[in-house]
């Protein structure tokens, strides 16, 4: 087996962020239908936190993959 590390196709934070975003959307719909204003605010807050979390996680993992590629190129010289 080669010790070469393949780039991640799905960074680990992305599924968690997607689940949080879907939970926030479901909470917004359910609390709007039941007129629960505190739950609506909390669900909206969860959605606003989850969306940037997905993007930041993807950026960090792609940066790590690029650093690994640069280190591999540097080591081959």
């Amino acid at each position: 087996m080669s010790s070469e590390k393949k780039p991640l196709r799905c960074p680990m934070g992305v599924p968690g962020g997607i689940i949080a975003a879907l939970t926030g959307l479901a909470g917004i719909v359910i609390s709007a239908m039941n007129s629960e204003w505190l739950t609506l605010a909390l669900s909206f807050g969860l959605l606003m936190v989850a969306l940037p979390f997905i993007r930041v996680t993807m950026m960090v993992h792609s940066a790590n993959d690029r650093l690994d590629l640069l280190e591999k190129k540097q080591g081959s010289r």
Side-chain angles (χ1 to χ4, degrees), residues 2-75:
S2 67
S3 63
E4 189 174 322
K5 197 169 78 171
K6 293 183 180 179
L8 291 172
R9 294 190 120 203
C10 180
M12 298 317 270
V14 174
I18 291 172
I19 290 171
L22 291 176
T23 303
L25 283 173
I28 289 171
V29 170
I30 290 171
S31 61
M33 287 175 25
N34 293 330
S35 297
E36 296 177 8
W37 303 113
L38 180 62
T39 308
L40 178 67
L42 292 174
S43 297
F44 184 73
L46 178 63
L47 181 66
M48 291 296 110
V49 168
L51 295 176
F53 181 74
I54 296 169
R55 179 70 182 143
V56 167
T57 305
M58 290 178 67
M59 287 173 41
V60 167
H61 281 281
S62 66
N64 282 337
D65 291 340
R66 289 182 191 148
L67 280 175
D68 290 341
L69 182 65
L70 287 173
E71 287 174 353
K72 189 172 102 175
K73 285 182 181 179
Q74 186 73 21

